[in-house]
Amino acid sequence: VGRNYEEHAKEMGVTPDKAEPFYFTKYAGAITPSGAKIAYPPGTRDYHYEMELVVAIGAPAFEVKEENALDAVYGYACGLDMTRRDLQLTAREKSRPWDLGKDFEESAIISEIVPASKIGHPAKGAITLSVNGSLKQSADLSQMINNTSEIIAHLSRFYHLDAGDLIYTGTPAGVGAVAPGDEITGRIDGVGEISLTIR
């Protein structure tokens, strides 16, 4: 899900749309565990972090209603949607797909998935990210434009969701570039923590 916080949407120069969330995909090989040390990716000079709540689907969901959408959720995690921002913006300006900017190796960092049976379905709580100990992103899950139920219900109109699918739900304002040697840490209250080092 892209730009699921109003302030981030404004930061990116677009108007947020409550009615219609939008999506991009990352291939399974992009998944990388929290705590990893990864290389600065090729082809970019503007490599960004985006701290996000991740929803892990645990049961089939197709054309589900909002009131039933959370039945499909197994659990939640912290995620980093790492982005080659210069390539994403170039593609956006030319009305082209975002694949080069979003879908590449080691671009979907994820923490341990915590079952909803243990923590419930987080609808509020601080979501923060720091780079080298300096706070860069700070918001609350309650500020999401589309909540988890709305996202699942909408996405399931277009895809058969199934166990193992991961939905990164969008990032707050404060995204920015990182460089080799930087250490990224993030936290979502009630969900967990995440870390990443850029080699």
Side-chain angles (χ1 to χ4, degrees), residues 57 60-73 147-159 161:
I57 299 298
F62 181 62
E63 296 183 342
V64 297
K65 296 180 179 179
E66 284 182 28
E67 56 265 34
N68 301 322
L70 295 182
D71 294 341
V73 175
N147 64 35
T148 300
S149 296
E150 292 169 333
I151 292 168
I152 293 172
H154 183 265
L155 189 57
S156 75
R157 290 164 45 192
F158 303 96
Y159 296 95
L161 302 179

Side-chain angles (χ1 to χ4, degrees), residues 51-53 77-79 125-128 141 186-193:
M51 180 69 187
E52 311 197 5
L53 174 70
C78 300
I127 174 171
T128 59
L141 296 178
R187 175 180 175 81
I188 301 176
D189 284 353
V191 177
E193 299 180 348

